[in-house]
Amino acid sequence: ELKVEQNPLFLSMQEGKNYTIYCNYSTTSDRLYWYRQDPGKSLESLFVLLSNGAVKQEGRLMASLDTKARLSTLHITAAVHDLSATYFCAVDQAAGNKLTFGGGTRVLVKP
Amino acid sequence: NAGVTQTPKFQVLKTGQSMTLQCAQDMNHNSMYWYRQDPGMGLRLIYYSASEGTTDKGEVPNGYNVSRLNKREFSLRLESAAPSQTSVYFCASSEVLAGGFEQFFGPGTRLTVL
C-alpha cells in the first residue's frame, strides 16, 4: 500500500526567509504532484513532476523530485504572506492515474 | 469554460437519508474521480472512472455508489448517510500529459450528517 508522508505538518514562516517542505513516499513512482489549498477552497495544481531529477519553479516556489530516494521537496524562497495556505503532495499509483495524497503542510507566513 | 462544477455546495442530512452529489466537467476528460477530505487531512479517493461506462473503487468506497452518466458527468450517491460521512467532497477530472496526467478539482461540497 502506498503511503505518502509530509513534514512538517505545520510551518510558521517569517517573511523574507527560506523554508522547505518534504514529501516522502513508500513505493516506486516517477510521478508526483504538488497542490495548494486556501482555507475553504478547492485544490490548485502547482507542479507536475514526471521524472527523476525533475525540477519546476514558479515565482518563489520550487519543487524537485528524487525517485531513488522517494522524496520530493517544495522550497519556498523569501516567504511572503500570500503564500499562507496548505500544501499537499500526491503520488501517482500508476494504475488508473490515481493519486494518494499526503496529509498536508499548513503554512502561515507572519510579517 | 467552467472546468469542474459540483452541486450542491452545502448540504445537511439526517442519519439514514440519501442524496446524490453531482459533478460535471466540460474539458472532454476521460477520467473522473470522487475524493473526500476530512478536517486537517489530505484527500482520500472514494471512486474513480477511467472512461465513460467504467467505475472502480478507491481507498474508501464503503457507503457510497457512483454513476458515470456520460463523458461529462459523474455522480456520487450516499444511500443511507451516516455521521462518519460528514466531510468535504471533491470531484476531479484528469487531463493526460506526456508521461503523466494533471487533475483538476471542483469547488467541493460540504456535507454534514446529523
Side-chain angles (χ1 to χ4, degrees):
Chain A
E1 180 189 349
L2 173 59
K3 292 190 184 301
V4 181
E5 292 186 351
Q6 289 180 236
N7 68 82
L9 297 180
F10 176 73
L11 197 44
S12 180
M13 299 183 180
Q14 289 186 345
E15 280 192 332
K17 293 195 173 181
N18 302 333
Y19 297 88
T20 301
I21 299 171
Y22 299 90
C23 175
N24 292 274
Y25 55 98
S26 61
T27 64
T28 302
S29 177
D30 290 341
R31 306 193 287 194
L32 190 138
Y33 306 79
W34 284 97
Y35 292 88
R36 169 184 171 140
Q37 186 179 38
D38 293 303
K41 303 293 186 182
S42 187
L43 278 75
E44 173 191 356
S45 178
L46 291 175
F47 299 110
V48 178
L49 304 171
L50 299 178
S51 62
N52 185 40
V55 178
K56 296 272 184 80
Q57 183 165 6
E58 180 74 32
R60 300 175 187 274
L61 301 179
M62 184 174 72
S64 64
L65 177 61
D66 181 344
T67 61
K68 293 179 182 176
R70 299 177 186 170
L71 171 68
S72 179
T73 59
L74 180 65
H75 188 72
I76 299 172
T77 301
V80 293
H81 179 70
D82 283 353
L83 294 178
S84 296
T86 299
Y87 294 85
F88 292 97
C89 65
V91 178
D92 182 8
Q93 296 179 47
N97 292 341
K98 298 180 291 182
L99 293 179
T100 297
F101 280 80
T105 297
R106 183 169 166 236
V107 167
L108 179 62
V109 183
K110 297 180 178 179
Chain B
N1 193 340
V4 180
T5 58
Q6 292 182 235
T7 56
K9 286 190 170 60
F10 301 93
Q11 184 71 47
V12 178
L13 294 178
K14 294 180 180 179
T15 297
Q17 288 185 316
S18 63
M19 79 160 295
T20 300
L21 281 63
Q22 306 286 353
C23 173
Q25 52 94 8
D26 62 1
M27 297 175 283
N28 201 36
H29 292 163
N30 285 321
S31 299
M32 297 185 72
Y33 310 81
W34 276 105
Y35 293 90
R36 62 177 286 173
Q37 183 179 31
D38 298 313
M41 296 179 65
L43 277 66
R44 292 184 292 169
L45 183 64
I46 304 172
Y47 271 93
Y48 69 102
S49 171
S51 61
E52 184 179 353
T54 68
T55 61
D56 280 292
K57 295 178 180 179
E59 184 183 352
V60 287
N62 291 344
Y64 305 94
N65 285 300
V66 290
S67 295
R68 183 75 183 266
L69 305 170
N70 47 56
K71 192 171 186 178
R72 292 186 63 250
E73 298 172 288
F74 188 37
S75 63
L76 178 72
R77 183 161 178 83
L78 287 70
E79 291 291 352
S80 179
S84 61
Q85 294 178 304
T86 294
S87 190
V88 180
Y89 292 84
F90 289 101
C91 177
S93 66
S94 68
E95 175 183 19
V96 175
L97 305 173
F101 63 96
E102 184 168 8
Q103 282 195 10
F104 297 87
F105 288 83
T109 295
R110 294 181 179 276
L111 176 67
T112 301
V113 182
L114 302 175

